[in-house]
Amino acid sequence: MKLIGPFQQLVTLKGLVLKGAIKDDELEVIEYGGILVDDEVIVQVGPWAELKSGDFDELEEITSPMVALPGLIDSHTHICFGGTRERDYAMRIAGKSYLEIAKAGGGIWDTVTHTRAASANDLLEGMLQRISRQILYGITTCEVKSGYGLSVEEELKMLRTIQKAQQSTPIELVATCLAAHTKPRDFPGTNQEYLTLMLSDLLPTVKAESLAQRIDIFTEEGAFTVAESQPYLETAKSMGFDLTIHGDQFSSCGSELGVNVGVRSVDHLEASTEKDILRLAKSDVIGTALPGASLGLGCPFTPARQLLDQGGCLAIASDWNPGSAPMGDLLTQAAILSTMEKLSTAETFAGLTFRAAAALGLTDRGQLTPGKMGDLVAFPTSDYRDILYYQGQMKPVGTWKNGTRIHG
């Protein structure tokens, strides 16, 4: 067994509810504490003096003031891609619309073109560079979507690259098949015909090779309608896949479908109405805010405060992608969202940890409690409130995955 500590504070997130608002006085904060890990799993968390006097085989002593949280979980990213889209961004801040940029050759299709042209090795190298940044940001679990291949062959190339990347990184990658990102321009048929092809020719191989356990679709004007999305999701569900949706990003049309079909999460929600939020809050579907997209596109933030006050579950993810959310810094984005939406520190931490884990269908991480994975992140301070106070500029000085230090 390994004993890690002492930390000036351990913010365990123990006992916090999965749904609804959370006050900061509900946080369990252990002053001058430690963590005992055995076989990658937390077995005890408590005061340092108590743990130090017990049994352990290895001591990893922390010699400078640090505050530890559960490892951060980025539950929505697109970090496997080729090329960049700085031209899109320059056009956007100069006042061009999403549609105008797409008509000028930008948008998702620009990234599809670059991703298809990239070799699998090029995609892998770029992805591993971004994962290295994720580790520096304190991320211990990272979801990664396909969706820039948009053909059977190219989607498989992306998903196999994500699978290969797992062999070269200590953090856990959760692959999601987003072949239904948009109908590719070079596909001669209808939206429905494209989705049918993905169901018949792609998803069986994804299942057979265990390339992903999750399916995503962009339900939005200009992508796939509710009528097109529903049978696709229901068929994927019957094949044994977990489901998530890009919904309510530009118009209110995805969250209701997500609730009706029973997806794990609906991600974006910037365009959600009060009715949408109330419906979502009453369901078991998790709402995932993507503040990076709001910052990248200059659009409203997810109504996170409203979702929590109505009793819903809020996760927070980066949406790191080359077009609408190029920043990739989850903590900075979450700190900004907390300011704009008046989220408590406890609610923000929950959205980055155990609630984000739930959006991925994971229950074994996100809290520093016995039985959970030994994933934690430490910041150079003696007061946990500093982490959001510095709005993401206080970076982690230590990241542990399964009890092993991978950064710092």
Side-chain angles (χ1 to χ4, degrees):
M1 289 193 290
K2 178 193 288 188
L3 177 60
I4 309 171
F7 296 98
Q8 294 297 305
Q9 292 179 329
L10 283 170
V11 185
T12 68
L13 307 189
K14 176 183 178 181
L16 299 183
V17 294
L18 181 62
K19 297 180 63 178
I22 311 173
K23 296 180 179 180
D24 286 344
D25 61 11
E26 297 177 63
L27 286 172
E28 178 184 67
V29 181
I30 299 175
E31 304 286 346
Y32 207 67
I35 299 176
L36 193 62
V37 179
D38 185 31
D39 194 25
E40 304 183 347
V41 174
I42 297 171
V43 294
Q44 192 175 352
V45 180
W48 181 248
E50 176 184 328
L51 293 179
K52 186 108 181 258
S53 64
D55 295 327
F56 55 90
D57 306 311
E58 181 182 354
L59 173 63
E60 184 173 347
E61 190 167 8
I62 305 301
T63 57
S64 59
M66 294 185 194
V67 169
L69 305 175
L72 305 185
I73 297 169
D74 198 343
S75 62
H76 182 128
T77 84
H78 303 253
I79 60 173
C80 182
F81 61 83
T84 56
R85 279 160 51 193
E86 60 276 0
R87 184 184 69 157
D88 284 22
Y89 188 78
M91 293 174 68
R92 189 177 301 121
I93 61 176
K96 298 296 182 182
S97 70
Y98 190 90
L99 183 59
E100 288 173 325
I101 293 169
K103 287 182 176 179
I108 291 173
W109 187 249
D110 187 23
T111 299
V112 171
T113 301
H114 283 96
T115 302
R116 287 180 175 182
S119 68
N121 189 61
D122 288 339
L123 288 179
L124 178 63
E125 288 183 0
M127 188 178 168
L128 290 175
Q129 289 175 5
R130 297 175 197 111
I131 290 171
S132 295
R133 282 179 55 189
Q134 291 283 61
I135 293 172
L136 296 179
Y137 295 156
I139 308 299
T140 53
T141 301
C142 180
E143 188 260 15
V144 188
K145 301 181 189 295
S146 65
Y148 294 129
L150 303 187
S151 71
V152 172
E153 179 183 357
E154 292 296 326
E155 285 292 302
L156 289 174
K157 181 179 78 174
M158 290 191 70
L159 290 167
R160 287 166 179 157
T161 297
I162 296 167
Q163 187 180 68
K164 189 172 183 180
Q166 182 65 87
Q167 302 170 14
S168 301
T169 179
I171 71 173
E172 186 167 343
L173 306 179
V174 178
T176 300
C177 180
L178 181 57
H181 205 172
T182 187
K183 181 176 75 71
R185 292 183 182 178
D186 57 357
F187 184 78
T190 64
N191 279 8
Q192 190 59 61
E193 288 170 336
Y194 173 74
L195 293 176
T196 298
L197 178 66
M198 296 301 104
L199 288 170
S200 63
D201 290 17
L202 175 64
L203 296 194
T205 302
V206 172
K207 175 66 71 172
E209 296 186 20
S210 298
L211 295 174
Q213 300 300 321
R214 309 176 77 243
I215 299 300
D216 195 351
I217 190 168
F218 190 12
T219 302
E220 185 57 72
E221 295 178 7
F224 297 102
T225 66
V226 170
E228 292 162 345
S229 299
Q230 184 165 344
Y232 180 78
L233 289 168
E234 290 175 340
T235 302
K237 188 175 185 178
S238 73
M239 297 171 69
F241 289 101
D242 273 358
L243 306 177
T244 185
I245 293 182
H246 281 60
D248 293 7
Q249 182 175 12
F250 302 114
S251 60
S252 171
C253 65
S255 61
E256 183 176 4
L257 172 63
V259 172
N260 290 340
V261 174
V263 302
R264 289 277 185 190
S265 69
V266 178
D267 301 7
H268 274 297
L269 307 175
E270 297 93 340
S272 297
T273 65
E274 289 187 17
K275 185 176 180 180
D276 293 325
I277 292 298
L278 180 59
R279 182 190 303 113
L280 194 65
K282 288 182 176 180
S283 76
D284 292 327
V285 178
I286 295 167
T288 301
L290 304 175
S294 298
L295 295 168
L297 294 174
C299 65
F301 289 97
T302 299
R305 179 72 270 149
Q306 184 183 2
L307 178 62
L308 290 169
D309 287 345
Q310 292 290 349
C313 181
L314 175 75
I316 306 170
S318 74
D319 194 23
W320 190 356
N321 73 74
S324 59
M327 179 200 295
D329 189 333
L330 176 59
L331 183 60
T332 296
Q333 295 172 18
I336 294 170
L337 180 70
S338 70
T339 298
M340 301 303 295
E341 284 293 310
K342 299 299 181 282
L343 307 181
S344 70
T345 300
E347 290 165 340
T348 306
F349 287 170
L352 296 171
T353 55
F354 70 93
R355 287 179 168 180
L360 297 176
L362 303 172
T363 59
D364 61 352
R365 66 200 72 188
Q367 293 167 309
L368 299 180
T369 57
K372 302 291 186 181
M373 299 174 70
D375 297 353
L376 58 149
V377 57
F379 294 85
T381 180
S382 298
D383 189 331
Y384 71 89
R385 294 170 296 188
D386 283 340
I387 298 168
L388 295 182
Y389 171 64
Y390 289 107
Q391 298 181 306
Q393 296 311 294
M394 175 178 284
K395 301 301 183 185
V397 290
T399 305
W400 287 258
K401 178 62 181 174
N402 298 327
T404 298
R405 193 164 186 169
I406 60 175
H407 161 57

